[in-house]
């Protein structure tokens, strides 16, 4: 794969349930997590649910962070997708685990980008020969 | 894992490059993709970059869709995360591939939720014995 980013799928378990239902708090710590990772926050969009639970996204210059919470299970599904070498998504993961007082955290990490078999096919036509991670949203 | 959702990581390659740089168009088709999947759109947040590229998120009642585009590579990284049995994220994937005229699509699909070893530990204390996907954000 021609890697353009790193994506962490995080299952955060046995968290503080009150915090998982506090939209304002979650919006603050998700934005702060982006800062901790070295990212630049552009936009946020959060929504709370009745009777409980919150969904939220933080658009960053380097991709995004998202969170969905199930306070009734003490569980949050978090995504951290970053591109560029100046951002460290793992710092955001550690910060969020600490803030939400999670007892358990499972992280699956993946590269995002163009699969090699496709990259090879395109490169053979010259289009990607000098390509590098230089997109405007990939600082 | 006690599954609470399905998450598709999609690499969409050799797309129509003009479309990948058209923020208004992308916002419309991402919202439409949510509808195609049977989801309910709550909020959207999109951002374009200079000289090119777009990032966008669609918060749905059943989790989220995101897109990040690299028009210079004809590439888009798309996520579709849904919970609940009434939503089919694959329909959204097929729709977006068609709209963006992608020649190649790689999809990795994952369950999101509470890992079994953690579920078992909690269940042994009774907390999850009768749990089902009944969260407010999991319609």
């Amino acid at each position: 794969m021609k890697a353009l980013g790193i994506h962490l799928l995080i299952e955060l378990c046995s968290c503080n349930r009150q915090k998982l239902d506090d939209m304002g708090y979650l919006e603050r710590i998700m934005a702060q997590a982006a800062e901790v990772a070295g990212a630049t926050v552009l936009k946020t969009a959060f929504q709370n649910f009745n009777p409980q639970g919150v969904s939220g996204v933080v658009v960053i210059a380097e991709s995004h962070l998202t969170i969905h919470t199930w306070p009734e299970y003490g569980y949050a599904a978090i995504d951290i997708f970053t591109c560029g070498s100046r951002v460290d998504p793992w710092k955001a993961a550690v910060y969020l685990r600490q803030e939400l007082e999670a007892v358990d955290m499972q992280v699956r990490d993946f590269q995002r980008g163009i699969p090699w078999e496709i990259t090879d096919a395109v490169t053979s036509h010259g289009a990607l020969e000098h390509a590098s991670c230089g997109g405007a949203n990939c600082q």
Side-chain angles (χ1 to χ4, degrees), chain A:
Chain A
M1 174 175 279
K2 172 181 172 55
L4 295 171
I6 297 170
H7 194 142
L8 307 185
L9 302 187
I10 302 169
E11 321 302 329
L12 221 49
C13 304
S14 304
C15 300
N16 180 314
R17 295 177 181 216
Q18 281 70 41
K19 289 182 173 180
L20 291 184
D21 205 29
D22 184 338
M23 188 179 77
Y25 170 77
L26 293 174
E27 190 161 4
R28 284 195 301 278
I29 67 166
M30 289 295 287
Q32 184 59 32
E35 303 278 354
V36 166
T40 302
V41 175
L42 299 176
K43 294 184 177 181
T44 63
F46 279 70
Q47 174 81 37
N48 55 8
F49 296 92
N50 186 10
Q52 58 193 343
V54 175
S55 282
V57 296
V58 179
V59 180
I60 56 178
E62 303 83 359
S63 292
H64 73 257
L65 293 81
T66 63
I67 186 168
H68 305 283
T69 72
W70 281 256
E72 66 272 35
Y73 299 152
Y75 165 76
I78 293 175
D79 282 51
I80 306 172
F81 177 9
T82 64
C83 62
S85 58
R86 292 186 300 178
V87 181
D88 183 350
W90 290 93
K91 288 183 179 175
V94 169
Y95 168 80
L96 289 169
R97 177 182 188 165
Q98 184 176 26
E99 280 294 325
L100 292 171
E101 304 170 35
V103 176
D104 294 290
M105 178 168 74
Q106 182 196 76
V107 184
R108 290 172 283 183
D109 63 312
F110 304 95
Q111 285 190 326
R112 300 299 300 267
I114 305 168
W116 281 128
E117 60 274 22
I118 299 171
T119 309
D120 291 346
V122 177
T123 305
S124 69
H125 293 90
L128 278 177
E129 273 177 355
H130 304 290
S132 63
C133 183
N137 54 342
C138 199
Q139 298 171 348

